[in-house]
Amino acid sequence: QVQLQESGPGLVKPSETLSLICTVSGDSISSYYWSWLRQSVGRGLEWIGRFYTGNTKFNPSLKSRVNMSVDTSQKQFSLKLSSVTAADTAVYYCARGIVGRTSIYFDSWGQGKLVTVSS
Amino acid sequence: SYALTQPPSVSVAPGETARITCGGYDIGSKRVHWYQQRPGQAPLLVMYYDSDRPSGIPERFSTSNSGTMATLTISRVEVEDEADYHCHVWDSNNGHSFGGGTRLTVL
């Protein structure tokens, strides 16, 4: 059974870059749809972006500040979010997506990493 | 983006039936997925493609989807069902959209 684990700093200063890594175990990292999502306190889930079939795609609202990459040898994929503000304070999740004929859903999630943006 | 609307909270007594709605324009034409999130935990997929259940999810969980409303129904509610529930839709035009989540309280 696949397991995902987020890692990275829990505190980032305003205007700096948030960097997280998701380590995958129990399954191959190839051929799947890997995503980052986040959840602010008391709010719903927000999709940030994905890496799939060698390509990335991002939420339009974050596109200018987001980058993702995959290291298949380490079975890791990463998130970088630049120029952060307090509004980026959230629990960040990595998740595996299953791509079907008509939709995509997330069947496995990491435990989540709380990232606080504060000086 | 595609807006999904969920009630903030639903309350039921143990053994009763809980219905959690997810409203969206023409949602009946889309595939809806549902996640359960207990306090301090990551979301857990409980229903996908409208009516498929992952292994380990009880048959007490079922869904319907028509018109402008999708519904997650939990029959014979147990204390362990107390959690937040999120609906999720993906389509090629709008990408991923999530409802705001519904807190299910078991009285």
Side-chain angles (χ1 to χ4, degrees):
Chain A
Q1 183 176 351
V2 67
Q3 292 186 318
L4 296 85
Q5 177 70 59
E6 302 90 349
S7 60
L11 180 64
V12 182
K13 290 182 169 55
S15 79
E16 296 190 345
T17 296
L18 178 158
S19 295
L20 294 174
I21 290 175
C22 181
T23 302
V24 179
S25 60
D27 202 348
S28 169
I29 198 171
S30 302
S31 304
Y32 279 111
Y33 182 107
W34 302 103
S35 270
W36 287 97
L37 302 96
R38 69 182 183 179
Q39 185 175 33
S40 303
V41 173
R43 296 189 64 180
L45 294 159
E46 179 182 28
W47 177 75
I48 299 171
R50 61 80 165 159
F51 190 95
Y52 180 59
T53 60
N55 297 307
T56 54
K57 189 168 185 178
F58 306 121
N59 186 324
S61 69
L62 299 169
K63 184 177 181 179
S64 63
R65 300 194 289 130
V66 176
N67 198 7
M68 288 179 60
S69 61
V70 172
D71 184 339
T72 53
S73 65
Q74 297 293 321
K75 297 183 71 174
Q76 294 177 333
F77 61 103
S78 68
L79 168 70
K80 291 188 185 298
L81 180 65
S82 63
S83 304
V84 297
T85 70
D88 296 308
T89 294
V91 176
Y92 286 76
Y93 294 100
C94 57
R96 185 179 75 174
I98 302 299
V99 179
R101 289 181 294 109
T102 57
S103 191
I104 301 169
Y105 60 91
F106 299 106
D107 74 330
S108 299
W109 297 67
Q111 66 182 26
K113 176 71 177 181
L114 173 62
V115 179
T116 301
V117 178
S118 175
S119 55
Chain B
S1 64
Y2 178 66
L4 293 172
T5 302
Q6 295 184 243
S9 63
V10 168
S11 299
V12 296
E16 294 188 343
T17 297
R19 294 179 179 85
I20 298 170
T21 58
C22 177
Y25 175 75
D26 197 27
I27 196 173
S29 69
K30 304 179 187 297
R31 306 285 74 80
V32 183
H33 319 296
W34 292 88
Y35 304 87
Q36 176 192 70
Q37 186 177 28
R38 295 191 173 108
Q41 296 188 15
L44 172 72
L45 181 70
V46 293
M47 299 292 292
Y48 61 102
Y49 275 104
D50 289 332
S51 58
D52 289 342
R53 265 186 311 275
S55 61
I57 302 302
E59 291 184 2
R60 301 184 295 104
F61 287 76
S62 63
T63 58
S64 62
N65 186 16
S66 178
T68 61
M69 196 72 73
T71 302
L72 173 69
T73 300
I74 309 172
S75 304
R76 302 180 301 283
V77 166
E78 301 178 1
V79 173
E80 67 178 22
D81 298 330
E82 187 163 283
D84 293 334
Y85 290 86
H86 306 271
C87 60
H88 166 216
V89 166
W90 177 89
D91 66 47
S92 58
N93 292 325
N94 300 292
H96 294 279
S97 301
F98 289 89
T102 298
R103 172 69 53 88
L104 174 64
T105 300
V106 182
L107 302 169

